[in-house]
Amino acid sequence: MNLDIQSLRTFSDLAHSGAEEAAGSLTTLTGFDARVAVTKIEMATRSDVEREFREGDLVTVHIGFSGAIAGHTILAFDRERAVELVDALVPGASENPESELATSGLKELGNIMLGGFIDGWADFLGEGIDITTPTYVELDADRSLEDVVTHEGSSRVDADSADLRTQLDAGHVLSFRNQLETISQEAGFYIYMLPTHDSVETIVDAAGKSDETIPVETFTSFSEMITEGAGQASQDLTAMTGIDTTVDVSRLSFVPVEGVPMELTDEARRGVVLEFSGTPSGYIAILFDHDSAESVADALMPGMDSDPAMRQSAIQEIGNIVTSGFLDGWANALETTIEISPPTHVDDIASAIVDPLVTELARTQDYAFLIDSAIVTPDETFTCDIYALPDERELRAAFDQLAPEQQAN
């Protein structure tokens, strides 16, 4: 299966318009004024998706779909917001959020919202798409995402479950993720769409595939390269500070350029920004929350609390080492050289830090490949977030070098 930039743009547009339909349904049914905050295409691992559900304390409604395309959709609610929605839809149901009345209300909301989301894809393809009865699901340690999406209880979806199971077993999932929010409150709703490989191919063909396609396996290979780079950065950070670290998440996503800052928190962050050049080129930000920044500065330069300049220098050096470890693996895999600029110290909210980088990219491209990795310590001493934004044209050249034998087929 091959993808191209035009196909990814089509996917993004369809997912965004479908999410707008879902947000409109949410507003009509509950009175909450909802809108779409972010739409992105992710190449994530199954464990990443499952962790987001479990650690985010989310409750979910699942609907399978089949026909012109097949797969699985998930509408995830923040638990507290779910209670508010149920009470707006079924007054009094929030008194017992686990009751049949409450879960039925959420299933009905999911049925209407996800139905509207899928309708847009059916209109684009000009063919019908059937959906299953909604299922209320709380993922826990004993139930995996694969268990849920491949056991819907519908023979029509079961016919496609082998394809979806293969996709899950492959380690990476191509998913379309939409983040919804209400005007007055933080985001609390997410829509995931997990299509089968055959369905992705159907949409690519309908979008009008260009000559410059990229095998989906190349995206997977690049995602694996990102994970390995994050692993090397984690090892270098441990060696430098003496604090054990591990990679929490590492993934590649495709998102409209203007949506990149929305992907980042508005909480204060401290770290460094660097520019890298070669194949690929782009920008990278190594960001710590303030407590984490103090922890790593203490580890590198103990007893320097009274010297802010030295602590800033320590953070810059740590950022430089982490960046080198992260990108060196890319250079080795691509058999190229990647040059790194001196680190620039930053101290601001995360979205404001990346905004100038996005502005530069927006001069030449409408969409961005966002690389998002996080390094953590087992005892939560600190968290290091890595955000890389490669130039789209240079990244395409990197894809060509990563899998030349696939590109030739």
Side-chain angles (χ1 to χ4, degrees):
M1 179 178 67
N2 291 350
L3 297 174
D4 60 1
I5 300 302
Q6 178 56 43
S7 298
L8 292 174
R9 289 171 177 162
T10 299
F11 287 154
S12 181
D13 291 344
L14 285 171
H16 188 81
S17 62
E20 287 183 329
E21 288 290 332
S25 298
L26 178 64
T27 298
T28 300
L29 289 169
T30 67
F32 287 93
D33 194 1
R35 65 185 177 190
V36 183
V38 179
T39 296
K40 66 179 183 178
I41 302 169
E42 282 188 351
M43 183 63 76
T45 66
R46 183 178 69 191
S47 60
D48 286 341
V49 177
E50 290 178 340
R51 182 171 57 249
E52 286 179 350
F53 290 158
R54 290 171 181 148
E55 294 183 356
D57 193 25
L58 303 176
V59 295
T60 62
V61 176
H62 297 239
I63 291 180
F65 58 93
S66 61
I69 55 175
H72 196 84
T73 51
I74 302 169
L75 177 61
F77 302 92
D78 175 88
R79 190 178 297 274
E80 290 184 5
R81 303 306 307 281
V83 171
E84 295 176 13
L85 290 172
V86 166
D87 209 40
L89 193 63
V90 186
S94 62
E95 296 177 6
N96 183 3
E98 303 303 321
S99 68
E100 179 62 29
L101 182 63
T103 57
S104 294
L106 279 180
K107 286 192 290 186
E108 179 58 25
L109 184 61
N111 190 48
I112 294 173
M113 290 180 67
L114 292 176
F117 179 81
I118 292 295
D119 282 347
W121 297 78
D123 291 342
F124 171 74
L125 295 169
E127 298 183 50
I129 300 176
D130 297 323
I131 61 175
T132 65
T133 302
T135 304
Y136 175 81
V137 177
E138 291 191 57
L139 284 176
D140 53 41
D142 298 323
R143 195 175 196 193
S144 71
L145 185 62
E146 181 182 355
D147 291 335
V148 174
V149 303
T150 59
H151 294 85
E152 276 297 317
S154 166
S155 60
R156 301 193 65 173
V157 173
D158 286 344
D160 298 288
S161 64
D163 186 4
L164 191 53
R165 185 190 299 275
T166 299
Q167 183 179 350
L168 291 166
D169 288 341
H172 285 82
V173 179
L174 181 66
S175 66
F176 309 124
R177 176 181 172 185
N178 297 269
Q179 181 176 318
L180 281 65
E181 64 182 10
T182 57
I183 303 302
S184 59
Q185 292 181 285
E186 295 280 334
F189 324 101
Y190 304 89
I191 296 175
Y192 284 83
M193 178 182 181
L194 309 175
T196 64
H197 281 168
D198 287 347
S199 297
V200 172
E201 189 68 51
T202 296
I203 301 168
V204 169
D205 290 341
K209 190 188 305 181
S210 72
D211 293 334
E212 296 184 347
T213 59
I214 304 167
V216 71
E217 291 79 11
T218 300
F219 286 101
T220 301
S221 297
F222 191 76
S223 294
E224 291 171 351
M225 190 176 74
I226 293 168
T227 301
E228 291 172 2
Q232 184 59 56
S234 174
Q235 292 177 27
D236 293 344
L237 189 55
T238 295
M240 194 175 189
T241 64
I243 303 172
D244 289 335
T245 65
T246 185
V247 179
D248 182 47
V249 63
S250 191
R251 58 193 167 200
L252 173 69
S253 59
F254 184 78
V255 63
V257 168
E258 69 273 11
V260 172
M262 298 179 191
E263 283 292 294
L264 279 68
T265 177
D266 281 337
E267 295 179 2
R269 291 290 183 263
R270 189 176 178 189
V272 299
V273 169
L274 307 94
E275 184 174 2
F276 58 95
S277 58
T279 304
S281 60
Y283 303 94
I284 188 167
I286 310 296
L287 305 179
F288 303 89
D289 61 56
H290 274 212
D291 288 343
S292 297
E294 294 301 313
S295 295
V296 296
D298 284 339
L300 192 62
M301 293 185 173
M304 302 299 294
D305 297 27
S306 60
D307 192 336
M310 289 297 291
R311 296 179 75 79
Q312 177 175 316
S313 177
I315 292 170
Q316 287 178 283
E317 181 59 20
I318 289 171
N320 195 45
I321 294 298
V322 170
T323 300
S324 295
F326 191 70
L327 294 179
D328 281 351
W330 298 19
N332 292 336
L334 297 169
E335 298 181 349
T336 187
T337 299
I338 300 177
E339 301 291 339
I340 304 173
S341 72
T344 299
H345 181 263
V346 289
D347 188 352
D348 206 335
I349 62 174
S351 55
I353 289 171
V354 303
D355 193 61
L357 313 182
V358 169
T359 299
E360 285 299 314
L361 286 180
R363 296 177 187 274
T364 57
Q365 59 193 71
D366 297 326
Y367 288 80
F369 284 94
L370 174 64
I371 295 162
D372 173 11
S373 299
I375 298 173
V376 300
T377 58
D379 58 359
E380 299 183 354
T381 302
F382 70 82
T383 297
C384 172
D385 294 314
I386 303 173
Y387 299 101
L389 288 163
D391 178 273
E392 181 183 297
R393 293 165 300 180
E394 294 289 344
L395 186 60
R396 170 60 204 228
F399 285 149
D400 289 341
Q401 289 181 226
L402 188 63
E405 73 285 352
Q406 292 176 321
Q407 296 294 326
N409 293 335

